[in-house]
Structure formats: C-alpha cells, structure tokens
Amino acid sequence: PLVAETSGRNVCDKRRDKSDILDEFPFLDMSLVTSEADDAFGPTRETARSVSDRGYAFLLWLRDAPHRHVAVATHSAWLFTLLNTNLVCDDPDLATWFMTGELRSLLLTFDDGPGAKKPKTSSA
C-alpha cells in the first residue's frame, strides 16, 4: 500500500479486498499486494508523516526496480505529499495540487552520492 491514499477512519479510503479487485480487473498484476484485506486501515487516521514515509519507501522501491517507465494512479493528496516532502522539483508547478484525472509526466533522477538528500524531478 505504498501508493495508497491516507488511510484510517474514513471508509472511502479503505482498499477493497484483493479478490474483489481481481474479480473485476483480472488483468491486473497484484503480486506485490500481499494481503487479502486492507491491513493499513484502522480506527485512527494516518499521520502526514506516515504518508510521506510511504512515499519515500515507494521512491526507494522505484529506484531499485528494473522499470524505466512507470504509471502511478493514485490520489492527489498522496501525490502532493510525495512531491512536496520527498522530491526536489526543478519546476515548482510540478508540486502543485493535482486536479481530478490530471496527468503529469515526471523524470526522476536519483543521486546516491555523498550528501544526497532527495531525488530530483523535472518535467518529462
């Protein structure tokens, strides 16, 4: 659930069971989803820090993944948090709030050298 909306308390933010999703979308590869139910959902709302930490964990996964092109479909709040807490955006417009259904292409650059702090992004 690294790329999921802020979790907890609000039922609208709870993931459906994995089997229900696969029944409706059998072509999806959900092999990275390890649990049937949404284990992240609970009675308390997730903190902004926790959402940011998940975004950072996603970037580490992405850095080490063999893929060159990745599509991420998620909520605007998660993207806003990712772009404003985990990335250095060359173009400040990239870090603004996403509108419903908005698509942005980003080019990520990871610098693992000494003193590196955040991945950089620019318009693709």
Side-chain angles (χ1 to χ4, degrees):
L2 295 179
V3 187
E5 177 63 282
T6 304
S7 187
R9 194 175 65 216
N10 299 326
V11 176
C12 64
D13 296 329
K14 183 178 180 183
R15 175 177 58 85
R16 293 167 45 198
D17 286 348
K18 181 177 176 178
S19 58
D20 291 341
I21 296 169
L22 287 173
D23 284 346
E24 191 170 346
F25 305 99
F27 49 84
L28 287 180
D29 176 2
M30 293 189 69
S31 59
L32 295 177
V33 178
T34 57
S35 64
E36 171 65 17
D38 185 354
D39 295 335
F41 187 79
T44 58
R45 192 84 170 133
E46 182 180 19
T47 66
R49 174 60 189 252
S50 177
V51 175
S52 177
D53 289 348
R54 285 192 294 109
Y56 186 75
F58 170 71
L59 290 172
L60 294 178
W61 175 85
L62 190 61
R63 179 194 64 192
D64 297 333
H67 318 293
R68 287 195 31 87
H69 302 278
V70 176
V72 176
T74 187
H75 295 266
S76 56
W78 186 88
L79 291 165
F80 184 79
T81 302
L82 176 77
L83 291 166
N84 283 280
T85 64
N86 289 302
L87 295 168
V88 175
C89 296
D90 290 345
D91 179 355
D93 287 339
L94 292 175
T96 59
W97 192 262
F98 280 68
M99 301 307 290
T100 301
E102 182 178 354
L103 172 70
R104 294 184 196 168
S105 295
L106 309 174
L107 175 63
L108 293 178
T109 305
F110 296 94
D111 179 6
D112 293 332
K117 293 184 179 173
K118 293 182 178 181
K120 294 181 181 178
T121 185
S122 56
S123 298

